[in-house]
Amino acid sequence: MIRSAEPADTGAVVELAVTAGLFGPEEALFVTAMMAGYFGGAAEEGHRCLVDDADGLRAVAYRQPKPAADRVWDLTMIAVRPGHQGRGIGTALLRHVEEELRGDGQRLLLVDTSGTPPYDRARTFYAGCGYAEEARVRDYWADGDDLVVFRKALT
Ligand SMILES: CC(C)(COP(=O)(O)OP(=O)(O)OC[C@H]1O[C@@H](n2cnc3c(N)ncnc32)[C@H](O)[C@@H]1OP(=O)(O)O)[C@@H](O)C(=O)NCCC(=O)NCCS
């Protein structure tokens, strides 16, 4: 079941993001701070965190508006628990994110990822969900690790 994240989900969201390899253990504080900000006011500013908890918390997605752009959104995080990956859960969650935005008249959804081999499957996932590689910033994350921006028009 896809639903809005609640404060009690924070620990599980952080654990899921780290377990899925989205963030290293040393970056867990970043996710903790993001969730604290979410429940501390960002949700009222339009940020939205969705979880799929059909069988325990098995997926999470977080989106936020791009400042100073007309109805453009950033998919800040999407992760599916290992063991549940490759079964359509990520696709269904991303579709849910898109449908909410589309229903609200929003225009674009962007997602940042990496150009390195460990993210080959993530890039294939976005392409399969209808996203096109729109931009690349060489050596952005680190030397030899490009930022790859995928884009999907919602209208
Ligand atoms: C990327 C991710 C969100 C996709 O969710 P998912 O539920 O595994 O993907 P779906 O089952 O809906 O879609 C499957 C497609 O995604 C791709 N894919 C990406 N990662 C995959 C994985 N670990 N296992 C299986 N398929 C994966 C494949 O192309 C697959 O297509 P195929 O079945 O035709 O081979 C999920 O695998 C994940 O959390 N990965 C680790 C964290 C991550 O990389 N997040 C994105 C960072 S930018």
Side-chain angles (χ1 to χ4, degrees), residues 20 22 78-80 84-91 112-113 119 121-122 124-126:
L22 201 50
I78 185 164
V80 175
H84 290 279
Q85 294 176 1
R87 298 183 193 166
I89 294 169
T91 300
D112 290 356
T113 188
Y119 287 87
R121 297 188 83 175
T124 304
F125 167 72
Y126 295 125

Side-chain angles (χ1 to χ4, degrees), residues 13 18 30 38 40 59 62 65 67 75 77 91 105 110 128 133 136:
V13 165
V18 172
F30 167 80
Y38 179 66
Y62 190 108
L75 185 72
M77 171 169 78
T91 300
L110 306 179
E133 182 178 325
R136 188 175 276 254

Side-chain angles (χ1 to χ4, degrees), residues 1-3 51-59 81 84 89:
M1 180 187 69
I2 295 173
R3 61 167 174 80
V51 295
D52 181 330
D53 78 346
D55 180 17
L57 208 76
R58 59 181 193 175
R81 188 175 293 284
H84 290 279
I89 294 169

Side-chain angles (χ1 to χ4, degrees), residues 29-137:
L29 277 178
F30 167 80
V31 190
T32 305
M34 188 173 82
M35 296 306 291
Y38 179 66
F39 294 115
E44 281 73 46
E45 295 164 15
H47 292 218
R48 182 126 167 85
C49 184
L50 292 170
V51 295
D52 181 330
D53 78 346
D55 180 17
L57 208 76
R58 59 181 193 175
V60 60
Y62 190 108
R63 48 112 162 152
Q64 59 185 298
K66 285 285 198 188
D70 176 25
R71 292 168 290 148
V72 181
W73 291 77
D74 183 61
L75 185 72
T76 310
M77 171 169 78
I78 185 164
V80 175
R81 188 175 293 284
H84 290 279
Q85 294 176 1
R87 298 183 193 166
I89 294 169
T91 300
L93 187 56
L94 184 49
R95 196 167 291 151
H96 194 101
V97 170
E98 293 165 5
E99 281 167 6
E100 281 190 349
L101 290 171
R102 194 176 290 115
D104 199 30
Q106 304 302 314
R107 286 195 313 120
L108 293 180
L109 183 55
L110 306 179
V111 55
D112 290 356
T113 188
S114 161
T116 57
Y119 287 87
D120 285 352
R121 297 188 83 175
R123 295 194 305 279
T124 304
F125 167 72
Y126 295 125
C129 290
Y131 289 72
E133 182 178 325
E134 186 72 12
R136 188 175 276 254
V137 182

